[in-house]
Amino acid sequence: MDGNERISRLLLKQEVDEFLYYEADLLDARRYDDWLALLADDVRYWMPMRRNVKVDDLEREFTREGRDISWFDEGKQTLTRRVRQIQTGIHWAEEPVSRISHVISNIRLLEANPSWAEPAEVAVGCRFLVYRNRVETETDILVGKREDLLRRVEGELKITRRRILLDQNVLLSKNLTFFF
Amino acid sequence: MASTNTTGYRRGLVDLGKGQISREIFVNDEIYQEELERIFARAWLLVGHESQIPNPGDFFVSSMGEESVILCRDRAHKVHVFLNSCRHRGMKVCRYDEGNAAVLTCPYHGWSYSTDGRLVGVPYFREAYHGSLDRSRWGLAEVAQLCLYKGTVWASWDPAAPPFLEYLGDFLPYIDLTLDAWDGSDGGTEILSGIQKWRVPCNWKFPAENFSGDSYHNISHRSVDLAGIGPSGSGRRDMPELLMARKLHIAFPEHGHQTTSYLLPKEVALPPAYQHSSVVSEYFRECEEARRNKRGDWGRMIALVGEVFPNTAFLARQPRTLAAWHPRGAHETEVWRWFLVDRNAPAEVKDFLRQYYIRYSGPGGMTEQDDMENWNYAHAASRGTIARRYPYNYEQGTGTEIENYEWESFRVPGVVCDLTRAKSSEHNLRNLYRRWAEFMEADRWEELTSGRRLGRAEAAE
Amino acid sequence: MATTRKDGYRPGLVDISAGQVSREIFVNEEIYREELERLFARVWLFVGHESQIPKPGDYFVSGMGEESVILCRDRAGKVHVFLNSCRHRGMKVCRYDEGNTPVFTCPYHGWSYGTDGQLVGVPYFREAYHEKLDRSRWGLVEVPRTYLYKGTVWACWDSAAPPFLEYLGDFVRYLDLTLDGWDGSEGGTEILGGIQKWRIPCNWKFPAENFCGDSYHNISHRSVDLVGIGPSGTGRRDMRERQMARRLQVAFYERGHQTGVYLFPKDQATPPSYQHSPEVSEYFAHCEEERRKKRGEWGRLIGSPGEIFPNTALHPRQPRTIAVWHPRGAHQTEVWRWYVVDSAAPQEVKDFLRDYYIRYSGPGGMTEQDDMENWNYAHAASRGTIARRYPYSYEQGLGFETENYEWQGLRIPGTVMDITDAKSSEHNLRNLYRRWAEFMEAESWGELATWRLARAAE
């Protein structure tokens, strides 16, 4: 990587950090319509379930995208429906509304195409900690890894693919009414 | 009828005459302990699906009541269900969810068991045990009874329990509505890979009664109806075919099973459904036709939800699923949900359904999310000293049951409550608790099956 | 006196004459479950303040014991307290903290209740119930006894309990020290918006006994005294006026209520206080004068912490607060704290006091923080097999109580312990547990309302 490339990469890293933190702010401020606007029209949003399997059988750890049952296997249309449901005001599982914070960390740029200097797409890895507290004392802490593919559309970054790897087997929350 | 023999568990807790049930049976820790003995150690429970263990050595770790069990297929292809606990010092022999193994070796002291449950390996058998341990007596504990039915695997710990098919009785054709393919072909379903498992902070009977046929909780799901996830674009399900049908609550008082089902009219063609995809729409149209041809009048019956006593639920109509409400203490339930599709459906149909299922069911499901909120806080608000003094009301539709229900020349098995006009009833819920109370009071299986003889005697009069 | 008839709950657990109380009553889960039945389902509990629900349809979700209740004002302006649980399938009808509504609609099956508790909406009443459901019998469960007193709302689940004012007896005059304006005007207080709620890992009786008048835990608060948050700049409170007063612990044996008080001398002016702000200082000087005029001898009395049996705490002197110790299992307490100011005080005074209150009380309060540390670890260190064998000592000042205490022409109602010279005693704490044991043993209110027996005997 030459000097120019390194600087391009650094600038891109800064832009991606800001983008992911901004996205977390939108979710935590319940600005769901603005959040939807960050998603590409062909976005894939997927959270597999995870199995306890032997160490030599780990390819079976995750349920498969597009084939198996998962926690989420979504496109923009269904994510929009999920937002609309919260906005009805009678989605009892989110009414009274939850208090949620997304803590995003360990952000790393994994790949940029075609180049660091002029990336049309960039793959990003990170960790998430989603804290949810609702009604009086209900508290969920969900931690895991995320792999995002971001695409530049008319100068703006959009999320085109999100893989959410939650570090749980039996889900310890009664529902997943929120976004990762 | 058997149910009239008993007025309830510890008279007063379950008072079906008045249509009232004490909150104690949901929140009392002592009653819960008794349930583990009297219900979960005696009844038939769903443990899994054969397609989860197609090959010799395949295993799937399941649950019966609070206990972990291993569902596995031995070398001779025979299916077994074992208690997941080493006989030596009780260690959980298998801590994986699924896999394939030649032997199951306990990680504590190394006793190992073959897939037919025999104790085949004992470290220092010669040196430390001097060869005198009787290995034939120390195999994995196996369930007393096992039954494979159209792919599903059921088990009971009680050797005195009636065989599974007798346990189901005439409820069997209703189970078929979930396990047969939509075109009526026998057992033509398979499960999608990936069993959803999650916890809900409520007693297991809240979801059990809900799936017994709670026809009354429409307000719960209004938000998803507004958002619209139905396979034709609106609501949460495709409903037009149901509007021309009779909506029935069907209960089996002697068995404790019940379902909400729809009986379609004889000669009317079904309105189109699944209109979001022409392939899917066409598939279901063809299936409807084929089923009517194959099944005759039974082909007019479509089940919605139902419950095999005590804790196995089915959703027979897409999203087609089986669920087990595993008790985890009086105040928590672990739900396991298996998702079913027609084995012979085209890939596009399976894929369409899979996506619809995920949107509808489970903790991410836009419909079920709101159910769990209700079960959670109904339970929480019933635990207090004062709250326990006020029984729940189950009187909806009392006295409107019909013994020999028939419509357009089809005689429906079971005791029926016709909800077409009534919209809702608690007939099925009463049936669940009637049987529950009988189990809690009966010391022996003879008492639990005596209702059948009595019923026959009454019918003979 | 009634109390001498008994040696304690299950003799040995509460031994008042020996000044010993077993740790079991704090950490034993069976005893805790019995408390829920025998105590919390029978006593009068504080549920809120009328000013929280000024308009018809206003509601505030409160707690009684472990249970959620709805305090609300119906269309006719009447105040009600309901169990927050649908009669049909138990769902928590209201999951909000406060608001305004014409009806409470259960989100499960849609039964809806008017703000007067009546079941007004039953989906499919005609179709599914064939109009047979007797709606008049399935309204929200209402607390059978409620009482409004100078803005405060009290409720009791037991229809056999004596009326609230009889339950208080002469202690009502001490409750007034929190609820009247500082100038002595009747009920001249209001609450500030925002109820603090937080959890402490200890049995509810630790804070309860502390607020009964634990006059002994000065070491706890030394750090805040050193830092200085008092309204005149030092210590944690203004103390000068109290140095000339008699310091008393006042207990009501038959009722289980108790409080600390300061009794000022007859003919001396109160020294200046709240000197951080001339306006506040002036306001309190004026109030002191007014109160003395209005209340006569009784105007010489100001309160310090007290407790209405079993779990409502009063902090009558600034920071003026009312707290409820909600039990949440044997090992956890949820504290709810309401903050009280004179309704007629100038805004600057209210602002000054609000700032001071937040510095002093609650989980952010520099004084209360150290209390909670003690309650937490006193409880934790008392749970063990061995620890439980060793009772706590409550013998401080045993035998020094005075029945007809009088000083400079004012006779003080209640059984008094003068701790002006003694500095401290456990008189009030013994009184709490004496009454507690009576409740745990008594099968009916007939046994508990001992004052009625005495009256009948006369």
Side-chain angles (χ1 to χ4, degrees), chain B residues 157-200:
Chain B
W157 287 110
D158 192 346
F164 180 67
L165 292 184
E166 187 185 334
Y167 181 87
L168 278 191
D170 288 338
F171 194 66
L172 193 66
Y174 297 103
I175 298 292
D176 289 342
L177 298 178
T178 298
L179 300 182
D180 290 343
W182 206 250
D183 67 358
S185 56
D186 255 333
T189 48
E190 65 181 13
I191 65 156
L192 292 168
S193 180
I195 314 302
Q196 288 192 339
K197 306 174 185 176
W198 75 99
R199 299 238 172 157
V200 190

Side-chain angles (χ1 to χ4, degrees), chain C residues 144-399:
Chain C
R145 312 287 294 279
T146 52
Y147 194 77
L148 308 181
Y149 184 72
K150 295 189 175 178
T152 55
V153 185
W154 302 78
C156 172
W157 284 112
D158 192 344
S159 340
F164 180 67
L165 290 181
E166 186 185 337
Y167 181 86
L168 279 191
D170 287 341
F171 194 78
V172 70
R173 305 188 63 187
Y174 297 102
L175 173 58
D176 287 344
L177 298 178
T178 298
L179 301 182
D180 289 343
W182 202 251
D183 65 357
S185 58
E186 291 275 354
T189 48
E190 63 184 18
I191 65 153
L192 294 168
I195 314 301
Q196 287 188 336
K197 305 174 186 176
W198 74 100
R199 295 222 170 175
I200 313 172
C202 69
N203 186 274
W204 66 274
K205 292 188 289 303
F206 281 99
E209 83 157 53
N210 192 285
F211 275 73
C212 283
D214 181 330
S215 47
Y216 195 48
H217 67 298
N218 268 321
I219 185 178
S220 300
H221 299 305
R222 224 165 260 168
S223 67
V224 65
D225 286 342
L226 289 174
V227 171
I229 59 166
S232 293
T234 59
R236 64 183 191 271
R237 284 194 290 250
D238 279 352
M239 304 297 274
R240 290 173 57 201
E241 73 219 58
R242 306 199 317 198
Q243 275 150 18
M244 57 174 66
R246 303 304 293 179
R247 189 176 174 200
L248 309 176
Q249 290 186 338
V250 185
F252 283 66
Y253 280 11
E254 289 180 291
R255 288 179 167 80
H257 317 311
Q258 49 275 319
T259 185
V261 291
Y262 289 89
L263 177 56
F264 292 142
K266 211 174 165 81
D267 294 314
Q268 252 173 292
T270 311
S273 57
Y274 299 92
Q275 292 184 285
H276 250 287
S277 153
E279 184 166 0
V280 179
S281 187
E282 174 58 28
Y283 174 76
F284 276 99
H286 168 77
C287 285
E288 284 292 334
E289 225 170 276
E290 276 299 302
R291 193 181 68 241
R292 298 271 193 127
K293 266 188 238 159
K294 243 181 244 171
R295 297 283 174 172
E297 296 300 332
W298 192 255
R300 287 159 52 200
L301 208 60
I302 61 168
S304 77
E307 181 97 4
I308 292 179
F309 187 84
N311 72 331
T312 305
L314 308 169
H315 208 263
R317 199 159 162 273
Q318 336 319 318
R320 245 173 149 177
T321 72
I322 298 173
V324 175
W325 321 110
H326 293 299
R328 294 287 182 263
H331 314 295
Q332 194 163 50
T333 301
E334 187 168 303
V335 186
W336 288 28
R337 194 181 285 291
W338 286 255
Y339 289 84
V340 180
V341 287
D342 289 355
S343 29
Q347 192 56 44
E348 189 178 332
V349 172
K350 290 183 185 177
D351 286 343
F352 180 94
L353 291 175
R354 194 191 62 246
D355 288 349
Y356 174 51
Y357 292 1
I358 294 174
R359 286 204 300 281
Y360 189 101
S361 295
M366 294 164 73
T367 303
E368 198 156 21
Q369 286 171 350
D370 289 319
D371 285 322
M372 292 180 291
E373 186 72 4
N374 288 316
W375 304 335
N376 177 351
Y377 285 102
H379 184 98
S382 298
R383 291 184 68 174
T385 311
I386 305 300
R388 291 183 188 208
R389 297 179 188 166
Y390 296 89
Y392 296 149
S393 165
Y394 288 88
E395 64 187 84
Q396 201 179 99
L398 197 60

Side-chain angles (χ1 to χ4, degrees), chain C residues 34-208:
Chain C
E34 218 161 345
E35 279 181 334
L36 294 180
E37 294 281 349
R38 289 178 172 262
L39 221 58
F40 290 97
R42 300 204 287 190
V43 295
W44 281 91
L45 300 168
F46 178 73
V47 292
H49 197 276
E50 271 198 272
S51 64
Q52 297 180 272
I53 49 162
K55 294 186 294 295
D58 282 351
Y59 64 85
F60 168 71
V61 171
S62 189
M64 291 174 71
E66 286 215 47
E67 282 164 299
S68 178
V69 295
I70 304 168
L71 165 64
C72 75
R73 192 178 290 276
D74 71 17
R75 279 201 214 170
K78 196 173 169 237
V79 172
H80 300 267
V81 182
F82 302 112
L83 187 69
N84 190 359
S85 178
C86 180
R87 290 296 300 279
H88 176 253
R89 211 59 93 242
M91 178 64 185
K92 195 169 183 179
V93 172
C94 183
R95 288 166 301 136
Y96 303 100
D97 293 336
E98 52 185 69
N100 182 286
T101 189
V103 287
F104 295 102
T105 300
C106 175
Y108 197 173
H109 303 90
W111 279 24
S112 54
Y113 303 89
T115 46
D116 57 358
Q118 281 190 46
L119 178 59
V120 293
V122 174
Y124 305 146
F125 178 66
R126 223 171 280 172
E127 301 92 330
Y129 284 103
H130 308 279
E131 303 190 357
K132 279 187 194 152
L133 178 77
D134 182 355
R135 282 175 295 192
S136 69
R137 287 184 50 239
W138 292 90
L140 284 176
V141 175
E142 182 158 11
V143 184
R145 312 287 294 279
T146 52
Y147 194 77
L148 308 181
Y149 184 72
K150 295 189 175 178
T152 55
V153 185
W154 302 78
C156 172
W157 284 112
D158 192 344
S159 340
F164 180 67
L165 290 181
E166 186 185 337
Y167 181 86
L168 279 191
D170 287 341
F171 194 78
V172 70
R173 305 188 63 187
Y174 297 102
L175 173 58
D176 287 344
L177 298 178
T178 298
L179 301 182
D180 289 343
W182 202 251
D183 65 357
S185 58
E186 291 275 354
T189 48
E190 63 184 18
I191 65 153
L192 294 168
I195 314 301
Q196 287 188 336
K197 305 174 186 176
W198 74 100
R199 295 222 170 175
I200 313 172
C202 69
N203 186 274
W204 66 274
K205 292 188 289 303
F206 281 99

